[in-house]
């Protein structure tokens, strides 16, 4: 699968930075529409789950909800813009947009699970192929064929 291979930390930073940028962009272009923000969250979840390296697969479903909250900061606005207003907007945004949050997290988790299953299957087939060679014996030619 071509594409960047991010470490766990790199995947978290990528996801958080992109969601923060998308939150700012959503605020400027769409008037802080939480629906637009939620829709933009889904491709970021997919990219994070696909781009994280195989050794750090389990980090993707963990960092995407955190990144959702980070990017929600500029979008969440309840009135005057003070800290309590912004905090109330964050709580309201997390409560009302839980469907997007759970959907993106589930999507990332499913992609990570599929990648993990494929990795385990590849390892098993590689082990089966190299098992006769590890015993110090070369596979016998014609072994397993019935006599003619």
């Amino acid at each position: 699968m071509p594409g960047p291979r991010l470490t766990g930390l790199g995947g978290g930073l990528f996801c958080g930075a992109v969601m923060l940028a998308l939150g700012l962009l959503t605020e400027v272009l769409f008037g802080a529409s939480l629906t637009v923000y939620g829709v933009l969250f889904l491709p970021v979840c997919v990219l994070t789950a696909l781009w994280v390296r195989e050794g750090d697969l389990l980090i993707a479903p963990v960092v995407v909800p955190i990144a959702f909250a980070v990017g929600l900061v500029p979008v969440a606005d309840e009135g005057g813009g003070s800290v309590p207003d912004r905090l109330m907007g964050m709580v309201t945004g997390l409560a009302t947009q839980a469907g997007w949050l759970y959907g993106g997290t589930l999507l990332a988790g499913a992609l990570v699970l599929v990648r993990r299953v494929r990795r385990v299957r590849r390892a098993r087939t590689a082990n089966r192929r190299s098992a006769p060679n590890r015993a110090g014996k070369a596979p016998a030619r014609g072994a397993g064929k019935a006599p003619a």
Side-chain angles (χ1 to χ4, degrees):
M1 185 177 329
R5 290 289 168 232
L6 302 171
T7 62
L9 179 60
L13 290 174
F14 163 76
C15 195
V18 170
M19 287 312 299
L20 183 60
L22 288 176
L24 291 168
L25 190 67
T26 301
E27 182 184 18
V28 170
L29 296 179
F30 301 103
S33 171
L34 291 172
T35 304
V36 171
Y37 178 74
V39 169
L40 293 173
F41 174 64
L42 297 179
V44 175
C45 292
V46 169
L47 290 176
T48 303
L50 292 177
W51 286 353
V52 72
R53 67 183 183 176
E54 289 188 356
D56 296 324
L57 279 176
L58 296 178
I59 198 70
V62 174
V63 298
V64 292
I66 296 168
F68 186 88
V70 167
L72 195 61
V73 171
V75 179
D77 191 14
E78 289 284 326
S82 65
V83 173
D85 289 339
R86 184 82 51 188
L87 187 59
M88 183 56 73
M90 284 285 296
V91 171
T92 303
L94 286 171
T96 59
Q97 302 306 309
W100 293 112
L101 177 60
Y102 292 149
T105 305
L106 183 64
L107 188 61
L111 287 171
V112 162
L113 186 62
V114 167
R115 287 185 61 200
R116 176 71 179 163
V117 166
R118 289 179 62 202
R119 178 183 180 197
V120 168
R121 284 188 182 167
R122 277 194 313 259
R124 283 186 184 166
T125 57
N127 285 341
R128 282 188 206 141
R129 289 181 185 158
S130 64
N133 295 336
R134 273 191 260 152
K137 299 176 185 176
R141 202 159 214 214
K145 290 185 181 177

